[in-house]
Amino acid sequence: MSLENPNAIEVREAVKRYGNFTALKTISLSIKDNEFFTLLGPSGCGKTTLLRMIAGFEDVSEGAIFLYGEEIEGLPPHKRPVNTVFQNYALFPHKTVLDNVAFGLQMRGNSKADSRKKAGEMLELVQLSQFANRKPSQLSGGQQQRVALARALAPQPKVLLLDEPLSALDLKLRKAMQLELKHLQRETGITFIFVTHDQEEALTMSDRIAVMSSGELQQLGDAREIYESPRNMFVADFIGETNLLDVSVDRIESGQAVCHLDGGHALTCPAIEDVTAGLNVHLSVRPERLILTTGPDTDTGMKATVRENIFVGTDITTLVDLADGPQITVRTSNSARGNERIFEPGSPVFVNMEHGAARLLVD
Amino acid sequence: MATRSYDIKSYTGFLQITLLCLFVLYAPLIVVAVYSLNASDSIAVWEGFSLRWYADVFTGAESAKFKVAARNSFIIAIIAATVATTIATLAATAMVRGGKFRLRAWSFGLISLPLMVPEIVTAVATLIFFNSIGFERGLLTILLAHIAFCIPFAYLPISARMQGIEDTYEQAAQDLYATKRQAFTKILLPLMLPGIISGYLLAFIISLDDFIITNFVKGAGVETLPTAIFGAVKQGIKPNIMAISTMLLGFSILMVLISYLVSRTDKKS
Ligand SMILES: Nc1ncnc2c1ncn2[C@@H]1O[C@H](COP(=O)(O)OP(=O)(O)O)[C@@H](O)[C@H]1O
Ligand SMILES: [Mg+2]
């Protein structure tokens, strides 16, 4: 190995074609050792395909994949020190829970007794010791999920691949498993590549996130970067909730773009590359970064009318109509302070943006 | 009530037709089974209960002939079912797990077509085949013919079972360091086992009671149970034929029962 500290996985200009259909279009990304890395994207964007290429179930049409600096193309799945938690778990129905977990250890050449002993320890780690002698079909969905996890972790792979492992669980269990997964990753020190289409899950769990759509990598960064500095319309729209407004750029002044909405409201936000005066671009602003007031609070306050308040527990979502402009969404926390900023439908208000909350995007 | 008109039981004549069908299907079998317990020498006159014809099968004048025929039948059925099931298992693996290959639909047709060919045609063709390559007729020709026609019977339950097994199990096995071969023997094969047992029992029964093909390809003086029974019947039906037929029937029912129990325990797990 040439590198001191090679990446756990490096995908170098990998392309995947199925006949005439290109499922992955020239993907390049590096996943660091000991990282909780998430592939995030809508269904059909190629997440599973990329995982299967790393696991060895699909060949790479072009490009290469490296595991700790070594190219793995051509190695069959059983020779790759990589394990998968399959989307439907794929627990062996004819084997007991214990033998399921022991399977990988045994295939790696450990004795039956040794494998079972280690498998028992793994089951303890996921708190399923008392179910060791049951068949998978006698367990609940959440328990099966943990068996699948124990089975994949038992042979101590260098990288663990998880294909939407929590998608079949109900909300409460999913939240608990998110924490458990995160703990397991820290305890074992194994690199996790986690696949999900749930942006909230990705944001809470990941060290870094790769956002994908239609076989392309849209943005790679940590949760904050992806959420606060989306690089394009797709990422801004897919991650969290946002207001996307059409604006025209009037001029660029010391790093700030001065623009106006269709209705004439003037706005200022940080300029980005490729944006010049006269251009029509988009402006993204998160609902929680907007504040309603009765009078113009800042110089960016925009006149609007409250249309509707929607109570969502921790927050209150307010839909307001900008004067001569589009409808936008404002989110206010359901707190004593927040409740001072809730107004009856029909009330005239001003919508104020927090400083630096707005972000320009080109198509 | 809306559901009522769909209830087949309300159709006129449903009960009568059902009873008629059951009667036609089972009356001859019941008559044979009952009269096998007849004490009389005649097959038509009931003279009281006796097991003498069952004893006659094992000790009577024709018992030596029947014993040899029964031994031939069971040896052939065991070997033919074993070989046919092995071939059918491999064929099902290739067909179901072989991905989309050209001629796949054709291959399936080729495997199952013999089920639809009239048996007499297969019999004549097999006979002509053995004659043209100069194969001397005897036990071996019967065995080869049985292996051939048992394959589609063994294939159907095995491939049906296999279609219900997702290929992610084998992928999971390979992901956990099993070679392709280990994934097959340790994961796929045990999951297929109920289908394989059904296929084996079906092939066994089909081989055991085959008459037409066997009669064509057997050598002179070589008999299986069905051909021996046919030979005996030609000299007039004696009650011992009923006894031997009833035993064969009982054996077939036992096999079907085992097959059913295997598939049922499997569904429970
Ligand atoms: N074996 C295959 N043959 C042809 N197309 C495939 C195959 N597997 C996946 N695809 C296509 O590749 C695209 C990406 O699929 P996938 O990786 O499963 O998406 P995701 O996991 O993100 O939902 C989809 O459009 C899918 O239809
Ligand atoms: Mg997928």
Side-chain angles (χ1 to χ4, degrees):
Chain A
M1 271 183 264
S2 53
L3 294 165
E4 274 280 300
N5 230 338
N7 287 311
I9 292 282
E10 188 188 341
V11 179
R12 198 179 291 167
E13 292 175 0
V15 176
K16 179 66 197 179
R17 278 186 289 267
Y18 293 110
N20 291 329
F21 175 72
T22 308
L24 289 179
K25 300 163 195 157
T26 327
I27 298 264
S28 291
L29 52 86
S30 302
I31 298 163
K32 293 178 202 145
D33 186 29
N34 203 356
E35 186 169 34
F36 198 116
F37 190 90
T38 297
L39 295 172
L40 171 66
S43 170
C45 73
K47 307 177 299 285
T48 299
T49 303
L50 186 53
L51 273 200
R52 288 172 60 82
M53 282 157 69
I54 296 171
F57 295 115
E58 300 284 354
D59 52 13
V60 181
S61 306
E62 271 174 41
I65 298 177
F66 298 83
L67 177 74
Y68 288 95
E70 280 179 90
E71 192 178 348
I72 49 175
E73 179 64 7
L75 280 185
H78 72 270
K79 291 204 174 140
R80 301 187 183 196
V82 167
N83 287 157
T84 310
V85 176
F86 289 84
Q87 191 161 6
N88 57 359
Y89 313 149
L91 297 175
F92 306 132
H94 60 298
K95 288 183 180 291
T96 61
V97 166
L98 186 71
D99 285 338
N100 261 281
V101 180
F103 187 83
L105 291 160
Q106 228 175 312
M107 290 298 110
R108 273 207 144 169
N110 295 292
S111 74
K112 196 162 188 162
D114 242 20
S115 308
R116 284 212 163 140
K117 189 167 154 279
K118 284 199 188 121
E121 288 163 16
M122 242 9 258
L123 282 178
E124 222 160 278
L125 190 64
V126 296
Q127 292 141 36
L128 282 177
S129 302
Q130 71 269 40
F131 299 116
N133 294 318
R134 289 217 192 156
K135 290 281 173 66
S137 60
Q138 295 167 302
L139 300 184
S140 73
Q143 290 164 341
Q144 290 182 14
Q145 218 291 310
R146 298 222 294 277
V147 176
L149 197 60
R151 185 177 72 172
L153 280 172
Q156 292 178 305
K158 289 193 171 148
V159 175
L160 186 75
L161 310 175
L162 304 106
D163 194 355
E164 310 212 15
L166 310 181
S167 59
L169 308 180
D170 61 51
L171 186 66
K172 206 155 187 176
L173 201 53
R174 197 157 73 222
K175 297 268 182 219
M177 276 307 294
Q178 287 174 0
L179 285 181
E180 198 167 328
L181 271 180
K182 192 88 193 149
H183 287 156
L184 273 175
Q185 195 263 332
R186 290 224 188 91
E187 261 171 67
T188 56
I190 292 172
T191 307
F192 276 34
I193 306 180
F194 182 85
V195 163
T196 181
H197 63 257
D198 181 339
Q199 45 94 19
E200 206 183 321
E201 191 165 277
L203 293 178
T204 38
M205 297 179 75
S206 323
D207 293 328
R208 285 193 309 153
I209 301 168
V211 184
M212 292 171 65
S213 101
S214 355
E216 283 174 300
L217 183 62
Q218 300 295 335
Q219 188 167 357
L220 201 160
D222 63 31
R224 252 212 137 74
E225 280 173 70
I226 300 261
Y227 188 78
E228 289 180 352
S229 318
R231 217 178 60 188
N232 57 30
M233 288 280 281
F234 176 82
V235 178
D237 199 28
F238 189 71
I239 311 289
E241 205 181 336
T242 196
N243 292 295
L244 285 171
L245 306 170
D246 296 331
V247 295
S248 309
V249 181
D250 298 327
R251 58 183 190 281
I252 310 282
E253 262 178 18
S254 54
Q256 296 288 307
V258 180
C259 344
H260 67 270
L261 290 176
D262 287 350
H265 297 287
L267 294 162
T268 308
C269 55
I272 55 166
E273 247 181 280
D274 304 333
V275 171
T276 50
L279 224 55
N280 290 322
V281 293
H282 308 279
L283 182 144
S284 160
V285 58
R286 302 282 179 196
E288 69 272 18
R289 306 289 298 268
L290 295 171
I291 299 159
L292 297 180
T293 52
T294 42
D297 192 41
T298 56
D299 52 356
T300 56
M302 296 177 285
K303 253 193 173 150
T305 314
V306 173
R307 175 188 282 263
E308 198 181 353
N309 289 310
I310 301 158
F311 179 72
V312 285
T314 53
D315 299 311
I316 290 152
T317 298
T318 309
L319 303 179
V320 299
D321 292 314
L322 287 185
D324 308 318
Q327 184 180 73
I328 59 175
T329 309
V330 178
R331 186 168 307 134
T332 313
S333 74
N334 181 14
S335 60
R337 214 175 115 69
N339 287 339
E340 289 169 14
R341 302 200 297 257
I342 303 297
F343 304 93
E344 289 300 307
S347 315
V349 288
F350 285 86
V351 180
N352 306 280
M353 280 184 202
E354 283 179 15
H355 186 70
R359 196 178 154 78
L360 289 183
L361 298 167
V362 280
D363 286 297
Chain B
M1 272 197 332
T3 52
R4 179 129 190 128
S5 59
Y6 293 104
D7 188 350
I8 197 164
K9 277 177 277 184
S10 67
Y11 288 9
T12 33
F14 174 79
L15 184 67
Q16 290 83 342
I17 292 173
T18 306
L19 289 177
L20 182 70
C21 288
L22 287 175
F23 180 79
V24 171
L25 276 173
Y26 289 105
L29 294 177
I30 292 168
V31 167
V32 167
V34 169
Y35 274 81
S36 71
L37 298 166
N38 193 354
S40 165
D41 279 342
S42 154
I43 59 162
V45 186
W46 180 259
E47 275 180 13
F49 176 86
S50 153
L51 286 174
R52 68 178 272 222
W53 294 112
Y54 285 86
D56 185 81
V57 169
F58 291 99
T59 57
E62 290 173 307
S63 65
K65 205 174 77 188
F66 282 138
K67 268 184 200 153
V68 173
R71 214 193 60 209
N72 286 346
S73 267
F74 276 93
I75 290 174
I76 287 168
I78 288 169
I79 300 176
T82 308
V83 176
T85 306
T86 308
I87 293 172
T89 304
L90 299 178
T93 310
M95 292 285 293
V96 180
R97 286 295 189 268
K100 284 199 185 87
F101 56 93
R102 284 192 308 154
L103 304 180
R104 184 177 173 165
W106 281 88
S107 311
F108 180 75
L110 275 180
I111 295 177
S112 40
L113 190 66
L115 296 175
M116 277 155 267
V117 175
E119 201 182 340
I120 185 73
V121 176
T122 311
V124 171
T126 313
L127 176 65
I128 294 173
F129 172 74
F130 282 136
N131 277 349
S132 65
I133 62 168
F135 211 104
E136 201 182 320
R137 281 185 281 155
L139 271 180
L140 194 57
T141 45
I142 304 178
L143 180 62
L144 290 175
H146 279 220
I147 290 173
F149 75 69
C150 281
I151 291 173
F153 288 97
Y155 175 81
L156 287 182
I158 295 174
S159 91
R161 168 82 194 169
M162 197 164 176
Q163 257 144 16
I165 304 172
E166 291 169 56
D167 61 359
T168 44
Y169 295 132
E170 292 133 88
Q171 288 180 9
Q174 288 178 51
D175 192 61
L176 293 160
Y177 314 104
T179 60
K180 276 199 164 153
R181 191 199 191 87
Q182 286 169 321
F184 179 74
T185 56
K186 288 184 187 295
I187 303 301
L188 189 56
L189 215 50
L191 290 176
M192 282 168 73
L193 200 60
I196 293 175
I197 292 174
S198 289
Y200 183 91
L201 294 177
L202 194 58
F204 188 92
I205 292 284
I206 295 288
S207 163
L208 193 68
D209 75 7
D210 178 73
F211 173 72
I212 302 180
I213 293 175
T214 312
N215 202 37
F216 270 67
V217 301
K218 78 187 179 67
V222 181
E223 301 288 352
T224 63
L225 215 41
T227 63
I229 292 172
F230 182 71
V233 167
K234 273 197 291 193
Q235 280 129 42
I237 304 177
K238 282 204 305 167
N240 65 343
I241 299 301
M242 294 190 173
I244 205 167
S245 301
T246 306
M247 286 192 280
L248 209 50
L249 176 66
F251 188 78
S252 297
I253 290 174
L254 186 72
M255 295 294 242
V256 172
L257 203 66
I258 294 174
S259 172
Y260 170 76
L261 288 177
V262 165
S263 67
R264 212 180 56 145
T265 53
D266 178 61
K267 264 184 211 117
K268 259 195 267 167
S269 72

